[in-house]
Amino acid sequence: MTELILALDVTEKEKALRIAEACAPHLDAIKLGYPLILSSGLSIAGELEELDKPLIADFKVADIPNTNRLIAEQVFDAGFSSIICHGFTGADAIKACVDVAADYGGSCFVVAEMSHPGATAFFHGGTAEKIAALAVECGADGIIAPATRPERVTILREIVGKRKILSPGVGAQGGDAATVAKLVDGIIVGRAIYEAKDPVTAITEFSAVRTA
């Protein structure tokens, strides 16, 4: 079954914890990015530990190999299960994150193509395909590909094979959950859940479209 991942991109710690707890029964993982981490600190990973859900650090790490390594070590030491890095920085930078993830028994996902409209300016023209191939070459566990452009997901699937594809852009950005769930291993939903009047009802609806 396609995984359902909550992108918890809020800045209020108590709100984040409340939504995560309420939605946890319907979730497979929780993705935390800079908005919440900068406001609450890496220690929030420990506070979410009791929910027993894998935590994905969406820092889109994009630096030289040594800096990537240092960031990844901090992430996994804090209790995260996975890290997301960019691929345009090259094989050595990707490999730094992949190696640290492996040392900790975790996972590393590489951004092949982003989900917002402006991403087409630089990720198209073969760039996303090259990044996806590089992710495979470096031993990454999978890639990030856009739910907003399912035709692109299909192309990138041909490159990464059975490696996982996690797909953001469902909901607020216009990606259709039912369509992309048939193509990927995990759909990532944020605002459509945490900004909903009733987040539990919203996440239940998304959970219902996952493929068996």
Side-chain angles (χ1 to χ4, degrees):
M1 179 178 286
T2 305
E3 294 182 351
L4 179 55
I5 301 164
L6 172 62
L8 203 53
D9 294 323
V10 299
T11 56
E12 300 172 35
K13 180 179 177 181
E14 294 308 315
K15 178 180 179 180
L17 293 173
R18 183 174 67 255
I19 292 173
E21 182 177 4
C23 294
H26 308 281
L27 286 175
D28 295 292
I30 302 172
K31 183 173 74 71
L32 308 180
Y34 285 120
L36 183 55
I37 297 302
L38 289 176
S39 65
S40 304
L42 279 171
S43 61
I44 194 170
E47 296 184 64
L48 290 167
E49 187 176 8
E50 65 182 44
L51 299 180
D52 196 29
K53 300 293 178 182
L55 301 178
I56 302 170
D58 184 13
F59 295 167
K60 295 183 179 67
V61 184
D63 216 307
I64 65 170
N66 185 62
T67 303
N68 280 7
R69 176 182 61 81
L70 293 171
I71 293 170
E73 288 174 348
Q74 290 294 311
V75 163
F76 287 105
D77 279 339
F80 284 85
S81 301
S82 304
I83 191 169
I84 295 174
C85 70
H86 265 302
F88 62 78
T89 47
D92 52 354
I94 295 174
K95 199 67 167 58
C97 291
V98 169
D99 288 347
V100 173
D103 288 343
Y104 282 81
S107 304
C108 177
F109 294 90
V110 178
V111 177
E113 183 174 328
M114 297 176 74
S115 56
H116 63 295
T120 60
F122 293 102
F123 284 100
H124 284 194
T127 300
E129 288 85 345
K130 290 179 182 178
I131 293 174
L134 196 58
V136 173
E137 178 186 321
C138 292
D141 296 275
I143 63 168
I144 306 298
T148 48
R149 292 182 286 277
E151 73 282 359
R152 297 289 299 153
V153 175
T154 300
I155 291 170
L156 296 173
R157 171 62 78 189
E158 291 295 317
I159 297 171
V160 302
K162 293 183 178 180
R163 280 179 168 79
K164 284 188 174 184
I165 298 180
L166 306 184
S167 198
V170 172
Q173 291 189 60
D176 181 69
T179 298
V180 77
K182 300 173 184 177
L183 307 173
V184 302
D185 302 280
I187 56 172
I188 300 171
V189 190
R191 283 172 284 172
I193 293 173
Y194 66 73
E195 290 184 351
K197 184 176 181 180
D198 183 352
V200 174
T201 297
I203 200 168
T204 301
E205 293 172 355
F206 281 110
S207 182
V209 305
R210 294 188 291 171
T211 57

